[in-house]
Amino acid sequence: MIHLSKMSHIHRGTNTTLAECYRWRSEGVTWPGASRPASRVHRRRVWSLIPFGQELDMLLLHMHTLESVVHGFLVTESQRVHDTRVHSRKPLVLTEALARGVVPAHIAQKLAVSVVDFDEATTRKYCGGTGRVMCMEQLQRFKLLDMLFARAELSDVALACDTDEIPRPSVVRMLQDCSMFDGPSPAHAATTGTGTGVARVDIYVLQFARYTYGAHCFLGNDGVLSARAFSVRHLKENYGPAATRSLPELRKDLSMQRMRTRGLPLLRRAGWHLSSFGEPWEIRRAAPRSPALVAPRSRDRHARGSR
């Protein structure tokens, strides 16, 4: 298992200085001017939103890495395997681990879990016009938003991550402290001609170092298959109870936000995407058709071809 705390320069101090914020914005953000220059450091709460399947070790690594900089972990656990051929029921891995006391107490006290079942997706009509796998994933993400809106303030920050997408703690600390989501709304800036000419940024793309099958197989830095940082204000305005769009429109838009990169500022070197880690039986359980399950020589060719 990779010890990410040794790979990152974790900012564990209680205070971030303005000088650190300015330096980080100039070096670590593709649009340094996209965020309003801070006049003071104001710490915001950060929530990590994670749709969970079966990778308990990876989830524990994720939470151990971010525990010092995240206010809460919101997790939706699926009762079904996300596979078009099988889509069968699976054990509630995280729920059972909590009941057995496997999750350390200092992490468990920051953790909220909601179980999601495909039957509910059907009855609530989340699945109209989409495949079952996509529907299940979308329902998990919508459930995460419900959990977030019940707990968060508009000024908070939400990290939308998969289990194997782990932001760098020092980057999360800067998102907390460095006024990354301050400024006038885009509509207000356009109509008033704000002096700075810079509208509020509501979404940041986190560039992750992508590894597949193990730490020996580095596939490069990626901003597409990675996490996003949102202002809670943006999420609530667009997907909250007051949203006026139809459910299919909301589903499609939320899914696109996870893949969108054009027109968004990028946070460089912001974390790690550790895809298909584990023993073959673990990968087979999570993704029966994964390329990691082919013969070793073919797998090596697949990895080299993806670099």
Side-chain angles (χ1 to χ4, degrees):
M1 184 63 72
I2 296 178
H3 296 284
L4 297 186
S5 61
K6 296 180 181 179
M7 295 172 62
S8 62
H9 303 289
I10 298 180
H11 186 107
R12 293 190 179 275
T14 56
N15 295 304
T16 301
T17 66
L18 286 177
E20 288 175 317
C21 287
Y22 278 110
R23 182 170 63 251
W24 180 68
R25 279 203 301 271
S26 66
E27 297 174 356
V29 187
T30 53
W31 295 359
S35 53
R36 183 184 178 188
S39 58
R40 62 190 177 91
V41 171
H42 174 70
R43 178 150 297 173
R44 289 159 175 77
R45 299 187 303 177
V46 175
W47 304 86
S48 182
L49 280 58
I50 309 170
F52 177 71
Q54 304 190 80
E55 300 174 283
L56 182 60
D57 287 342
M58 185 64 70
L59 179 64
L60 291 174
L61 175 63
H62 186 134
M63 295 190 293
H64 272 294
T65 304
L66 294 182
E67 182 271 333
S68 65
V69 293
V70 166
H71 186 78
F73 297 98
L74 307 181
V75 179
T76 48
E77 181 167 16
S78 171
Q79 284 189 334
R80 304 271 181 168
V81 176
H82 288 198
D83 181 77
T84 53
R85 292 186 301 109
V86 182
H87 205 68
S88 58
R89 285 189 176 271
K90 69 170 189 63
L92 294 176
V93 179
L94 177 57
T95 302
E96 294 174 2
L98 284 167
R100 297 196 312 269
V102 173
V103 180
H106 69 284
I107 291 179
Q109 67 183 6
K110 290 190 170 187
L111 175 62
V113 183
S114 177
V115 175
V116 182
D117 185 42
F118 179 70
D119 294 335
E120 182 180 352
T122 302
T123 57
R124 293 182 60 180
K125 300 182 181 179
Y126 271 86
C127 300
T130 63
R132 292 191 299 177
V133 174
M134 181 63 70
C135 167
M136 197 66 191
E137 180 178 336
Q138 289 173 345
L139 176 59
Q140 282 191 258
R141 296 195 189 281
F142 268 93
K143 278 283 193 179
L144 287 168
L145 293 183
D146 290 340
M147 297 171 71
L148 177 71
F149 298 154
R151 295 166 172 81
E153 299 175 358
L154 294 180
S155 60
D156 290 350
V157 177
L159 295 172
C161 315
D162 284 346
T163 303
D164 58 5
E165 298 169 354
I166 307 178
R168 191 183 293 269
S170 57
V171 170
V172 177
R173 179 67 80 198
M174 293 299 174
L175 286 170
Q176 280 182 313
D177 292 348
C178 294
S179 303
M180 299 301 292
F181 297 95
D182 287 358
S185 69
H188 180 76
T191 57
T192 62
T194 305
T196 60
V198 177
R200 183 181 72 219
V201 173
D202 292 314
I203 310 172
Y204 288 89
V205 177
L206 279 66
Q207 182 192 64
F208 282 177
R210 187 181 177 197
Y211 296 85
T212 302
Y213 312 136
H216 63 286
C217 192
F218 174 60
L219 301 184
N221 295 310
D222 184 20
V224 178
L225 299 175
S226 64
R228 301 292 186 267
F230 294 91
S231 70
V232 172
R233 181 186 303 276
H234 169 80
L235 291 174
K236 195 160 188 177
E237 288 175 351
N238 287 272
Y239 308 105
T244 58
R245 291 176 293 173
S246 67
L247 185 57
E249 289 177 314
L250 291 175
R251 280 204 320 267
K252 181 179 179 180
D253 187 68
L254 184 61
S255 297
M256 291 301 295
Q257 295 286 21
R258 282 279 298 166
M259 302 295 291
R260 176 186 168 196
T261 57
R262 180 175 296 180
L264 295 177
L266 179 77
L267 305 183
R268 301 189 187 100
R269 299 178 297 278
W272 308 268
H273 186 179
L274 310 179
S275 177
S276 299
F277 273 48
E279 298 295 330
W281 68 267
E282 294 177 295
I283 300 173
R284 183 177 293 108
R285 180 185 66 179
R289 292 174 293 170
S290 170
L293 301 177
V294 301
R297 184 172 297 177
S298 298
R299 185 174 66 230
D300 291 343
R301 285 202 302 271
H302 173 82
R304 289 196 299 272
S306 302
R307 292 177 189 272

PDB file of all heavy atoms in Angstrom, residues 202-226:
ATOM      1  N   ASP A 202     -16.532  28.764  -9.466  1.00  0.00           N
ATOM      2  CA  ASP A 202     -17.308  27.823  -8.661  1.00  0.00           C
ATOM      3  C   ASP A 202     -16.811  26.395  -8.765  1.00  0.00           C
ATOM      4  O   ASP A 202     -17.205  25.544  -7.970  1.00  0.00           O
ATOM      5  CB  ASP A 202     -18.783  27.859  -9.092  1.00  0.00           C
ATOM      6  CG  ASP A 202     -19.462  29.180  -8.740  1.00  0.00           C
ATOM      7  OD1 ASP A 202     -19.276  29.650  -7.595  1.00  0.00           O
ATOM      8  OD2 ASP A 202     -20.161  29.743  -9.598  1.00  0.00           O
ATOM      9  N   ILE A 203     -15.969  26.096  -9.762  1.00  0.00           N
ATOM     10  CA  ILE A 203     -15.471  24.737  -9.970  1.00  0.00           C
ATOM     11  C   ILE A 203     -13.984  24.788 -10.300  1.00  0.00           C
ATOM     12  O   ILE A 203     -13.546  25.617 -11.107  1.00  0.00           O
ATOM     13  CB  ILE A 203     -16.200  24.038 -11.141  1.00  0.00           C
ATOM     14  CG1 ILE A 203     -17.716  24.145 -11.007  1.00  0.00           C
ATOM     15  CG2 ILE A 203     -15.786  22.569 -11.234  1.00  0.00           C
ATOM     16  CD1 ILE A 203     -18.471  23.651 -12.229  1.00  0.00           C
ATOM     17  N   TYR A 204     -13.218  23.910  -9.683  1.00  0.00           N
ATOM     18  CA  TYR A 204     -11.811  23.720 -10.023  1.00  0.00           C
ATOM     19  C   TYR A 204     -11.591  22.254 -10.395  1.00  0.00           C
ATOM     20  O   TYR A 204     -12.131  21.350  -9.760  1.00  0.00           O
ATOM     21  CB  TYR A 204     -10.887  24.082  -8.857  1.00  0.00           C
ATOM     22  CG  TYR A 204     -10.789  25.559  -8.585  1.00  0.00           C
ATOM     23  CD1 TYR A 204     -11.688  26.185  -7.721  1.00  0.00           C
ATOM     24  CD2 TYR A 204      -9.809  26.336  -9.186  1.00  0.00           C
ATOM     25  CE1 TYR A 204     -11.615  27.542  -7.471  1.00  0.00           C
ATOM     26  CE2 TYR A 204      -9.723  27.699  -8.935  1.00  0.00           C
ATOM     27  CZ  TYR A 204     -10.624  28.290  -8.075  1.00  0.00           C
ATOM     28  OH  TYR A 204     -10.548  29.647  -7.835  1.00  0.00           O
ATOM     29  N   VAL A 205     -10.774  22.036 -11.431  1.00  0.00           N
ATOM     30  CA  VAL A 205     -10.355  20.691 -11.811  1.00  0.00           C
ATOM     31  C   VAL A 205      -9.068  20.365 -11.076  1.00  0.00           C
ATOM     32  O   VAL A 205      -8.138  21.176 -11.067  1.00  0.00           O
ATOM     33  CB  VAL A 205     -10.122  20.598 -13.334  1.00  0.00           C
ATOM     34  CG1 VAL A 205      -9.609  19.217 -13.727  1.00  0.00           C
ATOM     35  CG2 VAL A 205     -11.405  20.932 -14.093  1.00  0.00           C
ATOM     36  N   LEU A 206      -9.002  19.195 -10.460  1.00  0.00           N
ATOM     37  CA  LEU A 206      -7.801  18.768  -9.759  1.00  0.00           C
ATOM     38  C   LEU A 206      -7.005  17.831 -10.661  1.00  0.00           C
ATOM     39  O   LEU A 206      -7.509  16.782 -11.075  1.00  0.00           O
ATOM     40  CB  LEU A 206      -8.148  18.056  -8.450  1.00  0.00           C
ATOM     41  CG  LEU A 206      -8.467  18.947  -7.238  1.00  0.00           C
ATOM     42  CD1 LEU A 206      -9.735  19.748  -7.452  1.00  0.00           C
ATOM     43  CD2 LEU A 206      -8.567  18.119  -5.970  1.00  0.00           C
ATOM     44  N   GLN A 207      -5.786  18.216 -10.985  1.00  0.00           N
ATOM     45  CA  GLN A 207      -4.922  17.372 -11.810  1.00  0.00           C
ATOM     46  C   GLN A 207      -4.290  16.294 -10.928  1.00  0.00           C
ATOM     47  O   GLN A 207      -3.616  16.599  -9.948  1.00  0.00           O
ATOM     48  CB  GLN A 207      -3.827  18.211 -12.464  1.00  0.00           C
ATOM     49  CG  GLN A 207      -2.906  17.418 -13.373  1.00  0.00           C
ATOM     50  CD  GLN A 207      -1.683  18.215 -13.764  1.00  0.00           C
ATOM     51  OE1 GLN A 207      -0.857  18.572 -12.914  1.00  0.00           O
ATOM     52  NE2 GLN A 207      -1.561  18.521 -15.044  1.00  0.00           N
ATOM     53  N   PHE A 208      -4.502  15.030 -11.288  1.00  0.00           N
ATOM     54  CA  PHE A 208      -3.999  13.919 -10.487  1.00  0.00           C
ATOM     55  C   PHE A 208      -2.927  13.144 -11.233  1.00  0.00           C
ATOM     56  O   PHE A 208      -3.009  12.982 -12.465  1.00  0.00           O
ATOM     57  CB  PHE A 208      -5.139  12.954 -10.139  1.00  0.00           C
ATOM     58  CG  PHE A 208      -6.032  13.422  -9.018  1.00  0.00           C
ATOM     59  CD1 PHE A 208      -7.136  12.679  -8.651  1.00  0.00           C
ATOM     60  CD2 PHE A 208      -5.775  14.596  -8.329  1.00  0.00           C
ATOM     61  CE1 PHE A 208      -7.965  13.086  -7.616  1.00  0.00           C
ATOM     62  CE2 PHE A 208      -6.586  15.024  -7.298  1.00  0.00           C
ATOM     63  CZ  PHE A 208      -7.688  14.264  -6.934  1.00  0.00           C
ATOM     64  N   ALA A 209      -1.951  12.644 -10.497  1.00  0.00           N
ATOM     65  CA  ALA A 209      -1.009  11.661 -11.026  1.00  0.00           C
ATOM     66  C   ALA A 209      -1.744  10.325 -11.077  1.00  0.00           C
ATOM     67  O   ALA A 209      -2.238   9.847 -10.063  1.00  0.00           O
ATOM     68  CB  ALA A 209       0.219  11.567 -10.130  1.00  0.00           C
ATOM     69  N   ARG A 210      -1.828   9.742 -12.252  1.00  0.00           N
ATOM     70  CA  ARG A 210      -2.647   8.549 -12.442  1.00  0.00           C
ATOM     71  C   ARG A 210      -1.779   7.292 -12.461  1.00  0.00           C
ATOM     72  O   ARG A 210      -0.852   7.167 -13.254  1.00  0.00           O
ATOM     73  CB  ARG A 210      -3.444   8.666 -13.741  1.00  0.00           C
ATOM     74  CG  ARG A 210      -4.445   7.538 -13.931  1.00  0.00           C
ATOM     75  CD  ARG A 210      -5.193   7.691 -15.238  1.00  0.00           C
ATOM     76  NE  ARG A 210      -6.094   6.578 -15.469  1.00  0.00           N
ATOM     77  CZ  ARG A 210      -6.628   6.286 -16.641  1.00  0.00           C
ATOM     78  NH1 ARG A 210      -6.355   7.051 -17.688  1.00  0.00           N
ATOM     79  NH2 ARG A 210      -7.431   5.252 -16.769  1.00  0.00           N
ATOM     80  N   TYR A 211      -2.102   6.370 -11.573  1.00  0.00           N
ATOM     81  CA  TYR A 211      -1.438   5.071 -11.497  1.00  0.00           C
ATOM     82  C   TYR A 211      -2.493   3.984 -11.716  1.00  0.00           C
ATOM     83  O   TYR A 211      -3.614   4.077 -11.215  1.00  0.00           O
ATOM     84  CB  TYR A 211      -0.784   4.862 -10.133  1.00  0.00           C
ATOM     85  CG  TYR A 211       0.337   5.828  -9.824  1.00  0.00           C
ATOM     86  CD1 TYR A 211       0.062   7.085  -9.289  1.00  0.00           C
ATOM     87  CD2 TYR A 211       1.662   5.486 -10.060  1.00  0.00           C
ATOM     88  CE1 TYR A 211       1.085   7.981  -8.998  1.00  0.00           C
ATOM     89  CE2 TYR A 211       2.693   6.374  -9.774  1.00  0.00           C
ATOM     90  CZ  TYR A 211       2.400   7.619  -9.244  1.00  0.00           C
ATOM     91  OH  TYR A 211       3.410   8.500  -8.956  1.00  0.00           O
ATOM     92  N   THR A 212      -2.130   2.937 -12.460  1.00  0.00           N
ATOM     93  CA  THR A 212      -3.036   1.818 -12.690  1.00  0.00           C
ATOM     94  C   THR A 212      -2.321   0.510 -12.382  1.00  0.00           C
ATOM     95  O   THR A 212      -1.169   0.312 -12.801  1.00  0.00           O
ATOM     96  CB  THR A 212      -3.533   1.806 -14.144  1.00  0.00           C
ATOM     97  OG1 THR A 212      -4.191   3.050 -14.418  1.00  0.00           O
ATOM     98  CG2 THR A 212      -4.538   0.689 -14.371  1.00  0.00           C
ATOM     99  N   TYR A 213      -2.976  -0.361 -11.618  1.00  0.00           N
ATOM    100  CA  TYR A 213      -2.515  -1.692 -11.224  1.00  0.00           C
ATOM    101  C   TYR A 213      -1.436  -1.652 -10.149  1.00  0.00           C
ATOM    102  O   TYR A 213      -1.100  -2.686  -9.585  1.00  0.00           O
ATOM    103  CB  TYR A 213      -1.998  -2.505 -12.419  1.00  0.00           C
ATOM    104  CG  TYR A 213      -2.919  -2.483 -13.611  1.00  0.00           C
ATOM    105  CD1 TYR A 213      -2.406  -2.303 -14.889  1.00  0.00           C
ATOM    106  CD2 TYR A 213      -4.291  -2.627 -13.466  1.00  0.00           C
ATOM    107  CE1 TYR A 213      -3.251  -2.268 -15.997  1.00  0.00           C
ATOM    108  CE2 TYR A 213      -5.142  -2.594 -14.563  1.00  0.00           C
ATOM    109  CZ  TYR A 213      -4.616  -2.413 -15.823  1.00  0.00           C
ATOM    110  OH  TYR A 213      -5.446  -2.377 -16.906  1.00  0.00           O
ATOM    111  N   GLY A 214      -0.863  -0.491  -9.850  1.00  0.00           N
ATOM    112  CA  GLY A 214       0.166  -0.403  -8.825  1.00  0.00           C
ATOM    113  C   GLY A 214       1.013   0.838  -9.012  1.00  0.00           C
ATOM    114  O   GLY A 214       0.936   1.521 -10.042  1.00  0.00           O
ATOM    115  N   ALA A 215       1.861   1.131  -8.002  1.00  0.00           N
ATOM    116  CA  ALA A 215       2.688   2.333  -8.046  1.00  0.00           C
ATOM    117  C   ALA A 215       3.773   2.250  -9.115  1.00  0.00           C
ATOM    118  O   ALA A 215       4.402   3.260  -9.437  1.00  0.00           O
ATOM    119  CB  ALA A 215       3.325   2.576  -6.677  1.00  0.00           C
ATOM    120  N   HIS A 216       3.987   1.052  -9.674  1.00  0.00           N
ATOM    121  CA  HIS A 216       4.999   0.881 -10.725  1.00  0.00           C
ATOM    122  C   HIS A 216       4.494   1.339 -12.088  1.00  0.00           C
ATOM    123  O   HIS A 216       5.289   1.453 -13.027  1.00  0.00           O
ATOM    124  CB  HIS A 216       5.389  -0.596 -10.813  1.00  0.00           C
ATOM    125  CG  HIS A 216       4.248  -1.476 -11.208  1.00  0.00           C
ATOM    126  ND1 HIS A 216       3.221  -1.781 -10.336  1.00  0.00           N
ATOM    127  CD2 HIS A 216       3.939  -2.096 -12.387  1.00  0.00           C
ATOM    128  CE1 HIS A 216       2.341  -2.556 -10.943  1.00  0.00           C
ATOM    129  NE2 HIS A 216       2.745  -2.759 -12.185  1.00  0.00           N
ATOM    130  N   CYS A 217       3.186   1.589 -12.218  1.00  0.00           N
ATOM    131  CA  CYS A 217       2.608   1.872 -13.541  1.00  0.00           C
ATOM    132  C   CYS A 217       2.004   3.272 -13.545  1.00  0.00           C
ATOM    133  O   CYS A 217       0.810   3.461 -13.295  1.00  0.00           O
ATOM    134  CB  CYS A 217       1.552   0.823 -13.881  1.00  0.00           C
ATOM    135  SG  CYS A 217       1.023   0.860 -15.606  1.00  0.00           S
ATOM    136  N   PHE A 218       2.837   4.263 -13.828  1.00  0.00           N
ATOM    137  CA  PHE A 218       2.423   5.670 -13.860  1.00  0.00           C
ATOM    138  C   PHE A 218       1.989   6.030 -15.274  1.00  0.00           C
ATOM    139  O   PHE A 218       2.746   5.866 -16.232  1.00  0.00           O
ATOM    140  CB  PHE A 218       3.583   6.556 -13.413  1.00  0.00           C
ATOM    141  CG  PHE A 218       3.317   8.030 -13.556  1.00  0.00           C
ATOM    142  CD1 PHE A 218       2.264   8.639 -12.888  1.00  0.00           C
ATOM    143  CD2 PHE A 218       4.140   8.820 -14.362  1.00  0.00           C
ATOM    144  CE1 PHE A 218       2.027   9.997 -13.016  1.00  0.00           C
ATOM    145  CE2 PHE A 218       3.913  10.178 -14.487  1.00  0.00           C
ATOM    146  CZ  PHE A 218       2.847  10.767 -13.819  1.00  0.00           C
ATOM    147  N   LEU A 219       0.756   6.508 -15.424  1.00  0.00           N
ATOM    148  CA  LEU A 219       0.206   6.804 -16.743  1.00  0.00           C
ATOM    149  C   LEU A 219       0.195   8.288 -17.073  1.00  0.00           C
ATOM    150  O   LEU A 219      -0.364   8.687 -18.101  1.00  0.00           O
ATOM    151  CB  LEU A 219      -1.220   6.253 -16.835  1.00  0.00           C
ATOM    152  CG  LEU A 219      -1.381   4.751 -16.621  1.00  0.00           C
ATOM    153  CD1 LEU A 219      -2.816   4.341 -16.848  1.00  0.00           C
ATOM    154  CD2 LEU A 219      -0.458   3.968 -17.538  1.00  0.00           C
ATOM    155  N   GLY A 220       0.769   9.122 -16.226  1.00  0.00           N
ATOM    156  CA  GLY A 220       0.822  10.544 -16.511  1.00  0.00           C
ATOM    157  C   GLY A 220      -0.120  11.342 -15.630  1.00  0.00           C
ATOM    158  O   GLY A 220      -0.858  10.799 -14.799  1.00  0.00           O
ATOM    159  N   ASN A 221      -0.090  12.657 -15.799  1.00  0.00           N
ATOM    160  CA  ASN A 221      -0.948  13.555 -15.027  1.00  0.00           C
ATOM    161  C   ASN A 221      -2.241  13.799 -15.797  1.00  0.00           C
ATOM    162  O   ASN A 221      -2.223  14.077 -16.995  1.00  0.00           O
ATOM    163  CB  ASN A 221      -0.232  14.881 -14.762  1.00  0.00           C
ATOM    164  CG  ASN A 221       0.981  14.695 -13.874  1.00  0.00           C
ATOM    165  OD1 ASN A 221       0.884  14.069 -12.824  1.00  0.00           O
ATOM    166  ND2 ASN A 221       2.119  15.225 -14.282  1.00  0.00           N
ATOM    167  N   ASP A 222      -3.357  13.711 -15.091  1.00  0.00           N
ATOM    168  CA  ASP A 222      -4.661  13.706 -15.740  1.00  0.00           C
ATOM    169  C   ASP A 222      -5.608  14.664 -15.039  1.00  0.00           C
ATOM    170  O   ASP A 222      -5.671  14.699 -13.809  1.00  0.00           O
ATOM    171  CB  ASP A 222      -5.230  12.283 -15.702  1.00  0.00           C
ATOM    172  CG  ASP A 222      -6.541  12.157 -16.452  1.00  0.00           C
ATOM    173  OD1 ASP A 222      -6.824  13.017 -17.305  1.00  0.00           O
ATOM    174  OD2 ASP A 222      -7.278  11.192 -16.178  1.00  0.00           O
ATOM    175  N   GLY A 223      -6.361  15.451 -15.844  1.00  0.00           N
ATOM    176  CA  GLY A 223      -7.368  16.326 -15.265  1.00  0.00           C
ATOM    177  C   GLY A 223      -8.775  15.937 -15.639  1.00  0.00           C
ATOM    178  O   GLY A 223      -9.726  16.569 -15.194  1.00  0.00           O
ATOM    179  N   VAL A 224      -8.922  14.874 -16.461  1.00  0.00           N
ATOM    180  CA  VAL A 224     -10.253  14.422 -16.857  1.00  0.00           C
ATOM    181  C   VAL A 224     -10.765  13.394 -15.861  1.00  0.00           C
ATOM    182  O   VAL A 224     -11.813  13.563 -15.239  1.00  0.00           O
ATOM    183  CB  VAL A 224     -10.246  13.840 -18.286  1.00  0.00           C
ATOM    184  CG1 VAL A 224     -11.631  13.325 -18.653  1.00  0.00           C
ATOM    185  CG2 VAL A 224      -9.802  14.908 -19.281  1.00  0.00           C
ATOM    186  N   LEU A 225     -10.013  12.298 -15.698  1.00  0.00           N
ATOM    187  CA  LEU A 225     -10.397  11.272 -14.731  1.00  0.00           C
ATOM    188  C   LEU A 225      -9.821  11.647 -13.375  1.00  0.00           C
ATOM    189  O   LEU A 225      -8.850  11.066 -12.896  1.00  0.00           O
ATOM    190  CB  LEU A 225      -9.884   9.898 -15.188  1.00  0.00           C
ATOM    191  CG  LEU A 225     -10.428   9.420 -16.536  1.00  0.00           C
ATOM    192  CD1 LEU A 225      -9.763   8.115 -16.941  1.00  0.00           C
ATOM    193  CD2 LEU A 225     -11.946   9.244 -16.467  1.00  0.00           C
ATOM    194  N   SER A 226     -10.423  12.644 -12.753  1.00  0.00           N
ATOM    195  CA  SER A 226      -9.920  13.134 -11.480  1.00  0.00           C
ATOM    196  C   SER A 226     -11.061  13.801 -10.725  1.00  0.00           C
ATOM    197  O   SER A 226     -12.214  13.762 -11.148  1.00  0.00           O
ATOM    198  CB  SER A 226      -8.763  14.119 -11.690  1.00  0.00           C
ATOM    199  OG  SER A 226      -9.215  15.267 -12.379  1.00  0.00           O
TER     200      SER A 226
END
